[in-house]
Amino acid sequence: MPRSSDSPPRTGPVRLGPTARTALRPTADAVVAAGFWAARQEVNARVGIPQGPFLLESAGNLHDLRLAAGEERGEFRGDYPFMDSDVYKWLEAASWQLGRLHPDSPEGRRLADDVERIIGLVAAAQQPDGYLNTWFQAGKGAGRYRDLRWGHELYCAGHLIQAAVAHHRATGRERLLDVARRFADHLDAHFGAPGSGKPIDGIDGHPQIETALVELYRETGERRYLELAGYFVDRHGHGLLGGEAYCQDRVPVREARTVEGHAVRQLYLLAAVADLATETGEAQLHAAGERLWSAMTATKTYLTGGVGAHHHGEEFGGPYELPAERAYCETCAAIASIQFSWRMALLTGDARYSDLIERTLFNGFLAGVSLDGQSWLYVNPLQVRDGHTDIGGDQSARRTRWFRCACCPPNVMRLMASLEHYFASTDGRGIQLHQFATGTFRGDASGAPVVVSVSTDYPWDGRIAVTVEETPTDREWTLALRVPQWCTSFSVQRRSTERRTGGGPDGVGDPGDPESRDVEPCDVEPCDVEPCDVDVEATADRDGWLRLARSWKPGDRVVFELDMEPRLTGADPRVDAVRGCVAIERGPLVYCVEGADHPGSGLDDLVLDTTRPLAVKHRPDLLGGVTTVLGSGLRRPSTAAGWWPYPSRSGDGGRVTDGATAGVPFDLVAVPYYAWANREDGAMRVWLPTS
Amino acid sequence: MPRSSDSPPRTGPVRLGPTARTALRPTADAVVAAGFWAARQEVNARVGIPQGPFLLESAGNLHDLRLAAGEERGEFRGDYPFMDSDVYKWLEAASWQLGRLHPDSPEGRRLADDVERIIGLVAAAQQPDGYLNTWFQAGKGAGRYRDLRWGHELYCAGHLIQAAVAHHRATGRERLLDVARRFADHLDAHFGAPGSGKPIDGIDGHPQIETALVELYRETGERRYLELAGYFVDRHGHGLLGGEAYCQDRVPVREARTVEGHAVRQLYLLAAVADLATETGEAQLHAAGERLWSAMTATKTYLTGGVGAHHHGEEFGGPYELPAERAYCETCAAIASIQFSWRMALLTGDARYSDLIERTLFNGFLAGVSLDGQSWLYVNPLQVRDGHTDIGGDQSARRTRWFRCACCPPNVMRLMASLEHYFASTDGRGIQLHQFATGTFRGDASGAPVVVSVSTDYPWDGRIAVTVEETPTDREWTLALRVPQWCTSFSVQRRSTERRTGGGPDGVGDPGDPESRDVEPCDVEPCDVEPCDVDVEATADRDGWLRLARSWKPGDRVVFELDMEPRLTGADPRVDAVRGCVAIERGPLVYCVEGADHPGSGLDDLVLDTTRPLAVKHRPDLLGGVTTVLGSGLRRPSTAAGWWPYPSRSGDGGRVTDGATAGVPFDLVAVPYYAWANREDGAMRVWLPTS
């Protein structure tokens, strides 16, 4: 439902400040109208977000706010000092959602009522001096700012600020923003470096306040918030919290060589590093962002884009320490990775960052919410054994309605509700399409608006049709398409054409279509800054962009077609955990095999027969409609293992022979990883032994 | 130093009660006199145990006891409610050590003084009603028996009881035993099933009291203690602690199908299960012990004998979930495994249990203490990457002088100080040698004493010479030698000979030795209950014993020679973590490669060239004297990894080619795993990629 036409531009989570210097800038008014992500956003809007108030009531969060507001008496119910943040993340999600609804629609009114009610509670719970944390206000813990390592007061403040910024951007209302500013002012009055006259030289054990304060600066123009964010970022790593890597306190981020400690904490901190580099132009922070992102991506990221190898401490492991089964890959860490990467994408203009975002969105992030939007995964392993033997609470690989530590569900909601803002950008000389989804995206060409519409059935189909909807006629600009890192073959066609009034669903005719014109081959490779009148097989540009620069006319169309053949993917040999295995991928999707598709037999003895080809079959009936990949499996003969599972190989000269090729053949069905655990709590594997 | 000849028989940690029904019985007066384990025991006696009082003083344990005793004022210093147990484990270790010292020797007097002083503290800290726990007596926590899940009161009581039994067995003194009995009586008055009239129906979150109470029954003959142990064992698994697997409360042990939860807790509980089956003859408990031991050994045990795959919860993973790098393998869990296995070995007579003990002793357990006896490992991984990137406290793979949670060091001390008691047994018809060490071991032949001496340089050399020192001349009895699980080839020679007065170091001549007589080949295979007049290559008996039954004369000698060729060992293909790798083993020792032996180059790119033979070199100068295994390594060409570590394999039909055989050759040196991390905190691997 469209918003009223006199609304201000609809912006998202990262809106740069006036002095920001970046390669790219986010665009306003992005719309994802149909297709894969629109369906996920619809579930989020119809099921995910509306259930929030009920769940926050059941878990006690709202009760505890009412206690703090003096509106209710009773026992404090929260188990942790960070439970207010669940409320704030939900408010942020609901605010982004409000931004896409007409305020007079029934859904818009209903959601606005919920939001206003809960904002009222938050405002009432705030103490006169601006402080707000129900845990400490209930007398639990050591007292205000007395346990910064574990108290999460600034972390909660950060989520409050982010919610307030979202609410203000989406609705123009000031009420929650006022609450946030008062808390931010309270923090600014209390925290500062020695000699600043502020009483506390301290940081929060869980970063989040830093990136939030930068965003508050962007929203309010108040430079104190930016400076406070910079202070917090730079005081990490000096032992204020005992020097623990877990709390991002072992080494200053400017000196850090790799990501470490609690993954979510690390990545929220790095989002702030990118924010500060963006707003201040500080080269050292810019370099730290690039260096740490590269270290993370090259050595500590799972195939799914998930991060965090250790259950213990929810932390990054060592380089290449990426166990499939004990992957932690917290859903929140995937979200934090996307937030960090998006800021780096804007800062640098490098398409790699959006490559990682795509991979993380379609796999490590999306697995965190069930297809029906009603249950969640906290951890996202890449392997579950037969018998689904993992036992445990939040950290089990079972979809759960809500968690005792419920950080992930509202975090998914807020990203999903603002997802379109991560899909396109402008550099002032055109538009960059980072992600591919049917919708409308807006850019800028030397001050003139540029609008393109996209039509695609991605990720099931590799054809992405881009139509120029609005363009200045007096100047050249560049349409930049990200060539995905996974893509080894693509083609692009441009058709200068009059606006069609009928035709295929994507508005682009077949090669023989009489409305297609001006199709000329072009042998520029890579297709670069020069205009390209197309039908070309090309490789990606050095920085991952295919740039089509020319004077465009309304109705001009580009068809970008990515080869979607399924592929087998290996791993750097230093990834010990998956030696001798491959994964199946297709397009941006990582695939897995699930017990549900192989009834009556386990997955632990499975071997992939790589001598047989893979096939593809779209299954509209399965898991909400997925393209499956069909392969040939071999089941190792069931061996009576004996009492000791480590046989001597001495007899055959030390050569290891698994005897796998002597297995029993069977048809192997792979489904997208994001859709796993939607049928049963069964076995699953991404990495498949080859012999 | 020998004890006085009028001492009672010196017994160890498991002394069966009068009604126990087992296949084997422990023997008294075992002595390990020289060789590998004697040297480790010597370090324990000279360095390990004497440093205990100093370390317990530094860490606050003794201070807190003085607080409880009213002998000192001040702040409680312990971080955990279980810190009394460190004192008790040290007292147990010191007590076993006292048992091997002459009470009038300077060392004996010094140690006895320390022990008596600390026993005095413990006795003074005990409350008038028998209760004793400094944490709760200091007013910390929820109050007596109010937090059984985490309070560790019964756990500490268990260690107190075990210390008291050890002290009584070793010295005959009653003082600590009285303290323990009073606490046990207090427990017996407070804990019982509904309807028993006891006020609390509860169990401790950390099992230990159960096996301790059985031992207290054995020491005192007081059947109430056995019954209380049985009550505690059977109340696990009924949700009294919320049903957590961590606390061994998810399923009753009689119904459990596999080991799960916190590894040390599981194994202390299972030691009690074996104890109860031993003392009561209950078939269901006997079967549970066998079933759970088999499940553990076949699916959840590392090559080193270590157990516990998860850092999170210090717990067992799923079947075959045995990651090398994130192996937890707590030193205490190795000790608990040995305790459980020894009870099962006695109960069943099956040599497999002592196979696992041997493997665990030489590898997973022994790695837990440094060669100099001064520092410790809490976790014992099978891989550490270049850069030794693991960061953390007790759970890091760095040797540490003491831990904040210092359960492991005194646990090592108590096992090491009583180790000889795990080496031999009797079934009333002879003697069984479970472990091979130079020393003297005693058995029983239908009531007549049997004594054998063993001489060996095991594990460096496979020759084990057994001499009959004392034997009845009127009856046949059986010398049973465990044929190790790892051994695929061995020979045995028996020589009926007059007692030698000179000759080789082991008292057994070379084949041509004129003092060797009666050497006759014997083609019985396996050498079974029949006497075997030898020179035979044989395989192990079905249950792992080589039995030599005959009428023996004093001075008869048997030379058992195990093939010590180094071997390459694989893993069941379901152990995903080590696919495509082998380990080097020799005799009972698991080997590893360490960065220290390969300066200037990392281990992460190492590949073992299995086409080249392994060689052996003894190095008296290295790591206290070790036999090294020399192999041929290939170093993978250093690849610029690029920014994404998951390359597509599609181009070559999906076949994974590591290109490993194209690596640069280098000389690979493997050292025994137990000796790792004694030179530097460097990289290490047990499992070596083969290509």
Side-chain angles (χ1 to χ4, degrees):
Chain A
M1 187 164 306
R3 304 175 71 229
S4 57
S5 56
D6 56 351
S7 304
R10 195 169 62 87
T11 55
V14 180
R15 191 169 76 186
L16 306 186
T19 60
R21 272 177 207 83
T22 57
L24 311 177
R25 301 181 67 85
T27 64
D29 294 329
V31 171
V32 171
F36 187 88
W37 287 113
R40 308 314 310 154
Q41 289 194 305
E42 183 69 8
V43 170
N44 191 50
R46 298 222 176 260
V47 179
I49 291 173
Q51 73 194 330
F54 164 75
L55 293 166
L56 294 167
E57 196 62 78
S58 304
N61 309 59
L62 299 181
H63 165 88
D64 292 342
L65 272 169
R66 286 194 297 271
L67 284 189
E71 297 182 7
E72 195 169 308
R73 293 178 179 281
E75 289 284 306
F76 190 86
R77 285 184 50 199
D79 288 325
Y80 300 111
F82 48 77
M83 288 184 70
D84 294 350
S85 65
D86 300 342
V87 179
Y88 303 145
K89 277 188 275 191
W90 181 83
L91 278 174
E92 183 184 341
S95 296
W96 297 129
Q97 183 57 25
L98 277 179
R100 10 176 359 142
L101 294 173
H102 195 291
D104 296 331
S105 68
E107 302 97 310
R109 279 204 305 275
R110 214 165 27 235
L111 186 57
D113 285 350
D114 275 342
V115 166
E116 287 302 317
R117 178 171 60 86
I118 292 175
I119 287 177
L121 256 184
V122 170
Q126 187 170 38
Q127 298 205 313
D129 62 359
Y131 180 87
L132 176 49
N133 183 294
T134 60
W135 176 269
F136 289 95
Q137 287 171 231
K140 300 180 78 82
R144 277 189 189 187
Y145 307 139
R146 298 286 291 275
D147 179 14
L148 291 170
R149 189 184 164 284
W150 186 241
H152 287 81
E153 290 153 289
L154 280 63
Y155 167 83
C156 289
H159 278 301
L160 169 62
I161 290 167
Q162 290 183 332
V165 168
H167 191 246
H168 188 246
R169 283 189 190 152
T171 68
R173 291 170 178 266
E174 302 272 349
R175 190 175 178 205
L176 192 58
L177 191 65
D178 287 344
V179 174
R181 290 189 68 154
R182 292 178 59 215
F183 200 171
D185 292 341
H186 187 265
L187 294 177
D188 188 38
H190 283 78
F191 287 85
S196 65
K198 315 282 182 72
I200 306 172
D201 179 27
I203 52 173
D204 194 281
H206 198 315
Q208 164 68 200
I209 185 65
E210 298 82 1
T211 185
L213 283 169
V214 175
E215 211 63 36
L216 187 62
Y217 154 72
R218 291 167 173 162
E219 195 66 9
T220 63
E222 185 69 72
R223 208 169 164 86
R224 284 185 298 127
Y225 301 141
L226 182 67
E227 286 158 6
L228 186 59
Y231 157 75
F232 283 135
V233 164
D234 277 327
R235 290 302 278 153
H236 278 273
H238 297 281
L240 291 179
L241 299 175
E244 285 181 37
Y246 176 80
C247 293
Q248 304 302 315
D249 194 34
R250 196 183 66 82
V251 63
V253 70
R254 291 167 192 264
E255 299 166 20
R257 308 308 307 171
T258 189
V259 291
E260 66 177 33
H262 189 278
V264 180
R265 295 170 195 232
Q266 171 73 88
L267 293 169
Y268 283 165
L269 184 66
L270 287 174
V273 166
D275 280 332
L276 285 162
T278 293
E279 298 298 339
T280 67
E282 269 201 76
Q284 216 183 20
L285 289 174
H286 185 127
E290 291 189 319
R291 182 175 68 243
L292 295 171
W293 188 91
S294 294
M296 172 181 82
T297 307
T299 72
K300 299 192 179 186
T301 300
Y302 283 90
L303 185 65
T304 57
V307 288
H310 292 179
H311 279 233
H312 187 85
E314 309 189 313
E315 67 193 8
F316 285 104
Y320 304 105
E321 185 198 343
L322 295 160
E325 186 169 14
R326 284 295 277 181
Y328 197 68
C329 290
E330 184 181 341
T331 304
C332 282
I335 293 165
S337 165
I338 290 165
Q339 293 178 342
F340 172 39
S341 290
W342 180 238
R343 287 158 174 81
M344 292 305 298
L346 297 174
L347 182 62
T348 65
D350 194 325
R352 289 184 308 164
Y353 296 103
S354 290
D355 281 329
L356 184 62
I357 289 175
E358 174 178 70
R359 182 172 286 278
T360 309
L361 279 177
F362 275 109
N363 304 288
F365 161 71
L366 190 55
V369 55
S370 66
L371 296 175
D372 65 6
Q374 296 198 31
S375 61
W376 316 86
L377 285 174
Y378 193 113
V379 301
N380 296 279
L382 279 73
Q383 178 186 352
V384 173
R385 287 179 187 270
D386 295 335
H388 201 88
T389 50
D390 193 40
I391 296 161
D394 289 359
Q395 285 74 35
S396 78
R398 283 195 164 81
R399 295 200 181 274
T400 304
R401 188 87 174 82
W402 201 245
F403 302 109
R404 204 162 146 244
C405 168
C407 49
C408 299
N411 218 353
V412 171
M413 293 177 198
R414 70 180 183 139
L415 177 59
M416 199 71 91
S418 58
L419 195 59
E420 64 273 22
H421 300 292
Y422 294 82
F423 280 18
S425 66
T426 181
D427 58 359
R429 299 182 304 278
I431 188 165
Q432 299 83 42
L433 295 182
H434 297 251
Q435 306 299 335
F436 308 118
T438 298
T440 310
F441 303 95
R442 185 175 289 273
D444 176 275
S446 309
V450 168
V451 178
V452 299
S453 66
V454 176
S455 178
T456 181
D457 197 23
Y458 195 78
W460 310 127
D461 189 80
R463 175 181 247 218
I464 297 141
V466 182
T467 305
V468 176
E469 300 287 347
E470 200 175 323
T471 177
T473 51
D474 59 348
R475 65 200 80 170
E476 193 176 83
W477 57 271
T478 301
L479 172 65
L481 300 161
R482 182 177 58 86
V483 181
Q485 164 273 332
W486 55 260
C487 176
T488 53
S489 169
F490 66 89
S491 68
V492 63
Q493 294 187 312
R494 190 185 60 75
R495 289 169 187 170
S496 187
T497 178
E498 293 309 302
R499 200 63 187 268
R500 295 183 65 194
T501 52
D506 59 11
V508 176
D510 294 326
D513 189 313
E515 294 182 289
S516 296
R517 291 192 185 81
D518 296 344
V519 179
E520 292 166 21
C522 164
D523 61 0
V524 179
E525 187 183 0
C527 274
D528 210 283
V529 188
E530 297 302 304
C532 174
D533 285 346
V534 190
D535 241 322
V536 63
E537 295 279 337
T539 60
D541 199 356
R542 282 176 307 283
D543 65 353
W545 293 106
L546 176 69
R547 293 193 171 87
L548 305 174
R550 60 172 290 125
S551 292
W552 300 87
K553 292 188 304 238
D556 278 357
R557 281 162 209 166
V558 170
V559 177
F560 184 40
E561 186 138 14
L562 308 175
D563 182 354
M564 300 294 268
E565 278 304 298
R567 56 195 193 277
L568 297 180
T569 300
D572 185 297
R574 286 167 289 194
V575 184
D576 291 90
V578 298
R579 177 168 290 110
C581 294
V582 295
I584 296 172
E585 296 188 291
R586 179 174 181 270
L589 296 175
V590 175
Y591 278 69
C592 67
V593 293
E594 272 200 292
D597 295 305
H598 305 88
S601 59
L603 300 185
D604 287 355
D605 290 325
L606 171 160
V607 173
L608 180 69
D609 184 350
T610 56
T611 65
R612 307 276 299 279
L614 299 175
V616 162
K617 184 176 184 184
H618 194 72
R619 290 275 304 275
D621 56 308
L622 187 68
L623 294 165
V626 296
T627 297
T628 57
V629 177
L630 310 177
S632 301
L634 294 168
R635 196 170 313 285
R636 274 191 295 267
S638 181
T639 50
W643 70 274
W644 184 243
Y646 303 105
S648 175
R649 304 290 190 190
S650 299
D652 56 3
R655 289 217 163 274
V656 179
T657 51
D658 277 348
T661 46
V664 181
F666 71 100
D667 294 333
L668 182 145
V669 179
V671 297
Y673 172 76
Y674 78 77
W676 87 280
N678 275 281
R679 290 172 288 181
E680 59 177 34
D681 284 329
M684 181 274 291
R685 339 186 30 127
V686 168
W687 291 100
L688 309 175
T690 54
S691 69
Chain B
M1 187 164 305
R3 304 176 72 232
S4 58
S5 58
D6 57 350
S7 304
R10 195 169 63 86
T11 55
V14 181
R15 191 169 77 188
L16 307 186
T19 60
R21 273 178 206 81
T22 57
L24 312 177
R25 302 180 68 85
T27 64
D29 294 328
V31 172
V32 171
F36 187 89
W37 286 114
R40 307 317 309 156
Q41 288 194 306
E42 183 71 8
V43 169
N44 190 51
R46 298 223 176 258
V47 179
I49 292 173
Q51 74 194 331
F54 164 75
L55 293 165
L56 293 168
E57 196 62 77
S58 305
N61 309 60
L62 298 182
H63 166 87
D64 292 342
L65 272 170
R66 285 194 297 271
L67 285 188
E71 297 182 8
E72 195 167 308
R73 291 176 182 282
E75 288 285 305
F76 190 85
R77 286 183 50 198
D79 288 324
Y80 300 112
F82 48 77
M83 289 184 69
D84 295 349
S85 66
D86 300 342
V87 179
Y88 303 145
K89 277 189 274 192
W90 181 83
L91 278 174
E92 183 184 339
S95 297
W96 297 129
Q97 183 59 24
L98 278 180
R100 9 175 0 141
L101 295 173
H102 195 290
D104 296 330
S105 68
E107 304 97 309
R109 277 203 307 274
R110 214 163 30 235
L111 187 57
D113 285 351
D114 275 342
V115 167
E116 286 302 317
R117 178 171 62 86
I118 293 175
I119 288 177
L121 258 183
V122 171
Q126 186 170 39
Q127 298 205 311
D129 63 358
Y131 181 88
L132 176 49
N133 183 294
T134 60
W135 176 268
F136 289 94
Q137 288 171 231
K140 300 180 80 81
R144 276 190 190 186
Y145 308 139
R146 298 284 292 276
D147 180 12
L148 291 171
R149 189 185 163 284
W150 187 242
H152 286 83
E153 292 153 287
L154 281 62
Y155 167 82
C156 289
H159 278 301
L160 168 62
I161 290 167
Q162 290 183 332
V165 168
H167 192 247
H168 189 246
R169 283 188 190 153
T171 68
R173 288 169 180 266
E174 303 274 347
R175 191 175 175 203
L176 192 58
L177 192 64
D178 287 345
V179 174
R181 291 190 68 155
R182 291 179 59 217
F183 200 171
D185 291 342
H186 187 266
L187 295 177
D188 189 38
H190 283 77
F191 286 85
S196 65
K198 314 282 180 74
I200 307 172
D201 179 28
I203 52 174
D204 195 280
H206 198 316
Q208 165 66 202
I209 186 65
E210 299 83 359
T211 185
L213 283 169
V214 175
E215 211 64 35
L216 188 61
Y217 154 72
R218 290 167 173 162
E219 195 65 8
T220 64
E222 185 69 72
R223 205 166 167 89
R224 282 184 302 128
Y225 301 140
L226 181 67
E227 286 158 5
L228 186 59
Y231 157 75
F232 283 135
V233 165
D234 277 327
R235 289 304 279 155
H236 278 274
H238 296 281
L240 292 179
L241 300 174
E244 286 181 36
Y246 177 80
C247 294
Q248 305 302 315
D249 195 33
R250 198 184 64 83
V251 62
V253 70
R254 291 167 192 264
E255 299 166 19
R257 308 307 305 171
T258 188
V259 291
E260 67 177 32
H262 189 278
V264 180
R265 294 170 196 232
Q266 172 72 88
L267 292 170
Y268 283 165
L269 184 65
L270 286 174
V273 166
D275 281 331
L276 284 163
T278 294
E279 298 298 339
T280 66
E282 268 201 77
Q284 218 183 17
L285 289 174
H286 184 127
E290 291 189 318
R291 182 176 68 244
L292 295 171
W293 187 92
S294 294
M296 171 181 81
T297 307
T299 72
K300 299 193 179 186
T301 300
Y302 283 90
L303 186 65
T304 57
V307 288
H310 292 179
H311 279 232
H312 187 86
E314 309 189 313
E315 67 195 7
F316 284 104
Y320 304 106
E321 186 198 342
L322 295 160
E325 187 169 12
R326 284 294 278 180
Y328 197 69
C329 291
E330 183 182 341
T331 305
C332 282
I335 293 166
S337 166
I338 291 166
Q339 293 178 342
F340 172 39
S341 290
W342 179 239
R343 285 158 175 80
M344 293 304 298
L346 297 174
L347 182 61
T348 65
D350 194 325
R352 289 184 308 163
Y353 297 103
S354 290
D355 281 330
L356 184 63
I357 289 174
E358 175 178 69
R359 181 171 287 277
T360 309
L361 278 176
F362 274 109
N363 304 287
F365 160 73
L366 190 54
V369 55
S370 66
L371 295 176
D372 66 6
Q374 295 200 30
S375 62
W376 315 85
L377 286 174
Y378 193 113
V379 301
N380 296 278
L382 279 72
Q383 179 186 351
V384 173
R385 286 180 188 269
D386 296 335
H388 200 89
T389 50
D390 191 41
I391 296 161
D394 289 358
Q395 285 75 35
S396 77
R398 282 195 163 82
R399 295 199 182 273
T400 304
R401 188 86 173 84
W402 201 245
F403 303 107
R404 203 159 147 249
C405 169
C407 49
C408 299
N411 218 353
V412 172
M413 293 177 198
R414 69 179 182 139
L415 177 59
M416 200 71 91
S418 58
L419 196 59
E420 65 272 23
H421 299 292
Y422 294 81
F423 280 18
S425 66
T426 181
D427 58 358
R429 298 181 305 279
I431 188 165
Q432 299 83 42
L433 295 181
H434 296 251
Q435 308 298 335
F436 307 118
T438 298
T440 310
F441 304 94
R442 184 175 290 274
D444 176 275
S446 308
V450 168
V451 179
V452 299
S453 66
V454 176
S455 178
T456 183
D457 196 24
Y458 196 79
W460 310 125
D461 189 82
R463 177 182 246 217
I464 298 141
V466 182
T467 304
V468 176
E469 300 287 346
E470 198 175 324
T471 177
T473 50
D474 60 346
R475 67 200 81 171
E476 193 176 82
W477 57 272
T478 300
L479 171 65
L481 301 161
R482 182 177 59 85
V483 180
Q485 165 271 333
W486 55 261
C487 176
T488 52
S489 170
F490 66 88
S491 68
V492 63
Q493 293 186 312
R494 189 185 60 75
R495 290 168 187 167
S496 187
T497 178
E498 292 310 301
R499 198 63 186 267
R500 294 183 65 195
T501 50
D506 58 11
V508 175
D510 295 325
D513 188 313
E515 293 183 291
S516 296
R517 290 195 185 80
D518 296 343
V519 180
E520 292 166 22
C522 164
D523 61 0
V524 179
E525 188 184 358
C527 273
D528 209 283
V529 188
E530 296 304 303
C532 174
D533 285 346
V534 186
D535 241 320
V536 62
E537 295 281 337
T539 60
D541 198 357
R542 281 176 308 281
D543 64 354
W545 292 107
L546 177 70
R547 293 192 171 87
L548 306 174
R550 59 172 290 127
S551 292
W552 300 86
K553 290 187 306 233
D556 279 357
R557 281 163 208 164
V558 170
V559 177
F560 185 41
E561 186 138 15
L562 308 175
D563 182 354
M564 300 295 268
E565 279 303 299
R567 58 194 191 277
L568 297 180
T569 300
D572 185 297
R574 287 167 288 193
V575 183
D576 291 89
V578 297
R579 177 168 291 111
C581 294
V582 294
I584 297 172
E585 297 188 290
R586 180 173 180 270
L589 295 175
V590 176
Y591 277 69
C592 67
V593 293
E594 273 200 292
D597 295 306
H598 305 88
S601 60
L603 300 186
D604 287 355
D605 289 326
L606 170 162
V607 173
L608 180 70
D609 184 350
T610 56
T611 65
R612 308 274 299 277
L614 300 175
V616 163
K617 183 176 185 185
H618 193 72
R619 291 277 303 277
D621 56 309
L622 187 68
L623 294 166
V626 296
T627 297
T628 58
V629 177
L630 310 176
S632 301
L634 295 167
R635 197 169 313 285
R636 275 190 295 265
S638 181
T639 51
W643 69 275
W644 184 244
Y646 303 104
S648 174
R649 305 289 189 192
S650 300
D652 57 2
R655 289 219 164 272
V656 179
T657 52
D658 277 347
T661 47
V664 179
F666 71 99
D667 293 333
L668 182 145
V669 179
V671 297
Y673 171 76
Y674 77 79
W676 85 280
N678 276 280
R679 290 172 288 181
E680 60 178 34
D681 283 330
M684 180 275 290
R685 346 185 25 129
V686 168
W687 291 100
L688 309 175
T690 54
S691 69

